[in-house]
Amino acid sequence: DGGITQSPKYLFRKEGQNVTLSCEQNLNHDAMYWYRQDPGQGLRLIYYSQIVNDFQKGDIAEGYSVSREKKESFPLTVTSAQKNPTAFYLCASQPGLAGYEQYFGPGTRLTVT
Amino acid sequence: GQQLNQSPQSMFIQEGEDVSMNCTSSSIFNTWLWYKQDPGEGPVLLIALYKAGELTSNGRLTAQFGITRKDSFLNISASIPSDVGIYFCAGRRGGSEKLVFGKGTKLTVNP
């Protein structure tokens, strides 16, 4: 059963703590993406990675960090430097040069208090 | 970052009615994608378009890649209650690995 998994679905943290969101795909896609979604807003790109061990900043990378040590995994860390971390976080993958269609995971809702 | 202009922002329709929404940009795009998102879930890809003028259907959904390559349209025929959700357009410019998203059209269908 191929797809993208994100865990956990809901995450609660205290202000000042770093938190890591998981994203795994078994679609053999080359590219992976992290987006942030706020109520009534479109999707804003945080980071993306085209190949293993390489990633680029998106439009709102400040306060976030990522790693891409394996093709199937692209975890996102929300650091204490992110001023407004409460949001819905979406991970997506894309075949790469073979196609430009992005497929999304179910999302993680992070609440920081 | 740039965002696409998606309209309308919201629609309230009766079951059985047809729906039209669109996305426009000041830039030329090589790819247009349409997604549907249910509350608390990730967006699901509905239709992908790759050629100017292309018209593609997926069941009751039909999407078109505008001939100017600066716009795209999504039509839903004979709407049903499960069509409720937020519909997003996304576009990709030539040479870019990134998608640009619209802010979404929220569709409400009254039975």
Side-chain angles (χ1 to χ4, degrees):
Chain A
D1 188 20
I4 304 170
T5 56
Q6 291 185 245
S7 60
K9 182 69 174 173
Y10 300 95
L11 195 51
F12 298 88
R13 281 293 182 270
K14 293 290 187 185
E15 195 173 318
Q17 293 179 337
N18 291 355
V19 58
T20 298
L21 281 60
S22 165
C23 179
E24 303 275 332
Q25 56 100 359
N26 60 6
L27 300 168
N28 199 33
H29 286 175
D30 290 323
M32 297 186 74
Y33 300 77
W34 274 107
Y35 294 91
R36 171 184 172 134
Q37 186 176 35
D38 294 287
Q41 298 295 314
L43 278 64
R44 293 185 291 169
L45 182 63
I46 304 172
Y47 268 100
Y48 64 105
S49 168
Q50 299 292 298
I51 56 172
V52 173
N53 292 323
D54 189 38
F55 47 83
Q56 285 77 41
K57 293 182 180 179
D59 300 318
I60 56 165
E62 185 175 349
Y64 300 98
S65 66
V66 294
S67 63
R68 186 90 186 273
E69 297 176 1
K70 299 184 296 182
K71 186 176 183 177
E72 57 270 23
S73 178
F74 191 40
L76 173 74
T77 296
V78 184
T79 75
S80 57
Q82 168 49 233
K83 294 190 186 338
N84 187 16
T86 295
F88 190 49
Y89 290 89
L90 287 160
C91 177
S93 71
Q94 178 180 302
L97 293 178
Y100 299 104
E101 300 158 17
Q102 288 189 14
Y103 297 89
F104 286 85
T108 292
R109 182 163 299 281
L110 173 64
T111 302
V112 177
T113 57
Chain B
Q2 178 189 4
Q3 283 199 316
L4 298 172
N5 298 314
Q6 187 171 350
S7 64
Q9 212 169 14
S10 60
M11 302 183 75
F12 297 84
I13 62 170
Q14 293 296 126
E15 184 176 357
E17 289 183 0
D18 296 344
V19 172
S20 290
M21 59 190 78
N22 69 82
C23 260
T24 61
S25 170
S26 56
S27 304
I28 289 175
F29 284 83
N30 287 359
T31 303
W32 286 96
L33 306 172
W34 285 92
Y35 291 87
K36 178 180 182 246
Q37 185 177 30
D38 292 327
E41 300 296 329
V44 174
L45 181 63
L46 301 172
I47 293 177
L49 302 159
Y50 290 101
K51 290 184 190 176
E54 180 181 357
L55 191 70
T56 298
S57 293
N58 178 6
R60 294 177 296 105
L61 278 62
T62 301
Q64 183 162 25
F65 192 140
I67 57 173
T68 66
R69 296 168 64 192
K70 294 183 179 180
D71 55 12
S72 180
F73 307 88
L74 177 70
N75 296 317
I76 305 173
S77 63
S79 59
I80 59 178
S82 62
D83 290 334
V84 165
I86 300 178
Y87 292 79
F88 288 99
C89 63
R92 186 189 69 85
R93 289 192 291 272
S96 174
E97 310 99 342
K98 301 185 286 186
L99 292 180
V100 179
F101 285 83
K103 289 192 175 183
T105 294
K106 185 175 181 180
L107 178 64
T108 302
V109 180
N110 296 315

